Amino acid sequence: ALQHADDKLKGDKEVVLAAVKQDGSALDYADDSLKKDREIVLEAVKNDGSALEYADEKFKADKEFVLEALKHDGNALKYANKKLKEDKEVILMAAKRGNLELANVAMRKDKKIVLAAVKHNGWALDYADDKLKADKEVVLAAVKQAGSALDYADDKFKGDKEVVLAAVKQAGSAILYADDKFKGDKEVVLAAVKQAGSAILFADEKFTKDKEFVLAAVKQDVSVLEYVDDSLKNNPDILAIVNKDK
């Protein structure tokens, strides 16, 4: 590893080039003269976008390099210079990799940018402007990627069955963030427990007494048997699933 190499090797272009092609972060250990080398830095960020952190400052201000780094890691945006953090093309590339956190207020209001972000990382909805948290297209895209992003959506969507269903199908535990009326809704609860058996623990208690729901939950997670109604704990069909898992 370059980290433990002799200082002479850390200044050898051929050696460093081979190292960053294997691990972009090895740029950190290269001689400072090579952190200014265009070919080496380009290979480093192609391997690991966040290797931009170790590059010479001139590359952090170079749009071509920053965009290349962002293609591989949205978090590389944090190492770009201030001017590029205000550049719409740069922010859009970061958004396509799920990073909206460093976007400015104007960019967080831009639907194209926010949609690109949430399609890659539903949790990015947290950083969207409130108006877009109330936009159904944006919220649906977010919860289809990360169901529990429902937590960041406008409250009206926590009572919207289409949105809630999309959320629990991606992450059964998203039922936690849904309006209470859905915790007693058969279609929503069944979709949730089919995705994550433990979701039955957050639904109306009546479902822990319902064989259809308990079967669906146990198929996903046998440990939920402990929490179901006593009348079903020794049910042959349910025990068959439990024992099959042992």
Side-chain angles (χ1 to χ4, degrees):
L2 194 62
Q3 180 180 0
H4 306 294
D6 180 86
D7 285 347
K8 187 177 180 181
L9 292 176
K10 291 178 181 178
D12 184 307
K13 182 170 178 176
E14 193 175 332
V15 170
V16 173
L17 194 57
V20 299
K21 282 181 177 180
Q22 289 292 316
D23 177 7
S25 66
L27 184 64
D28 185 22
Y29 306 106
D31 185 83
D32 285 346
S33 64
L34 294 180
K35 292 178 181 179
K36 298 177 182 179
D37 185 288
R38 193 173 186 87
E39 183 183 6
I40 285 175
V41 174
L42 188 58
E43 289 299 331
V45 298
K46 280 182 177 179
N47 176 273
D48 178 357
S50 286
L52 184 65
E53 177 183 5
Y54 311 116
D56 185 80
E57 292 301 314
K58 69 181 179 182
F59 295 118
K60 297 176 183 180
D62 186 314
K63 189 171 177 177
E64 178 191 351
F65 272 80
V66 171
L67 284 173
E68 185 61 43
L70 288 170
K71 283 181 186 176
H72 305 283
D73 186 352
N75 290 321
L77 182 63
K78 68 177 79 167
Y79 306 116
N81 80 346
K82 188 176 179 181
K83 185 179 178 183
L84 289 178
K85 285 177 182 173
E86 304 288 319
D87 184 291
K88 189 169 182 176
E89 186 182 357
V90 169
I91 293 295
L92 183 58
M93 181 63 76
K96 286 178 178 177
R97 296 295 173 268
N99 190 339
L100 196 60
E101 189 176 352
L102 296 174
N104 63 27
V105 173
M107 304 289 187
R108 293 181 189 204
K109 291 181 178 180
D110 187 305
K111 185 171 178 177
K112 182 180 179 182
I113 288 173
V114 172
L115 260 178
V118 299
K119 282 179 178 178
H120 189 84
N121 173 19
W123 298 103
L125 184 64
D126 186 22
Y127 302 104
D129 182 78
D130 285 348
K131 187 176 179 182
L132 291 176
K133 288 179 181 179
D135 182 297
K136 190 165 184 174
E137 184 183 3
V138 170
V139 172
L140 269 174
V143 300
K144 283 178 179 178
Q145 202 287 321
S148 290
L150 181 63
D151 187 25
Y152 303 123
D154 186 272
D155 283 346
K156 69 183 178 184
F157 293 121
K158 295 171 185 179
D160 183 310
K161 190 167 183 175
E162 181 185 0
V163 172
V164 171
L165 267 174
V168 300
K169 283 178 179 178
Q170 199 287 321
S173 58
I175 197 169
L176 269 168
Y177 308 111
D179 188 282
D180 284 346
K181 68 184 178 184
F182 292 123
K183 291 168 187 176
D185 183 293
K186 285 188 171 186
E187 186 181 4
V188 170
V189 174
L190 191 58
V193 299
K194 281 182 176 179
Q195 200 287 321
S198 59
I200 201 168
L201 306 179
F202 311 123
D204 190 290
E205 192 180 353
K206 69 184 179 184
F207 295 113
T208 64
K209 302 174 184 178
D210 187 309
K211 183 179 173 182
E212 179 189 4
F213 287 79
V214 172
L215 273 171
V218 171
K219 280 179 182 176
Q220 273 295 316
D221 182 356
V222 295
S223 70
V224 303
L225 184 64
E226 181 183 348
Y227 306 101
V228 306
D229 192 74
D230 287 345
S231 65
L232 290 173
K233 285 183 177 176
N234 293 310
N235 180 278
D237 295 331
I238 292 170
L239 287 178
I241 294 170
V242 174
N243 293 328
K244 184 182 175 184
D245 240 41
K246 287 182 177 177

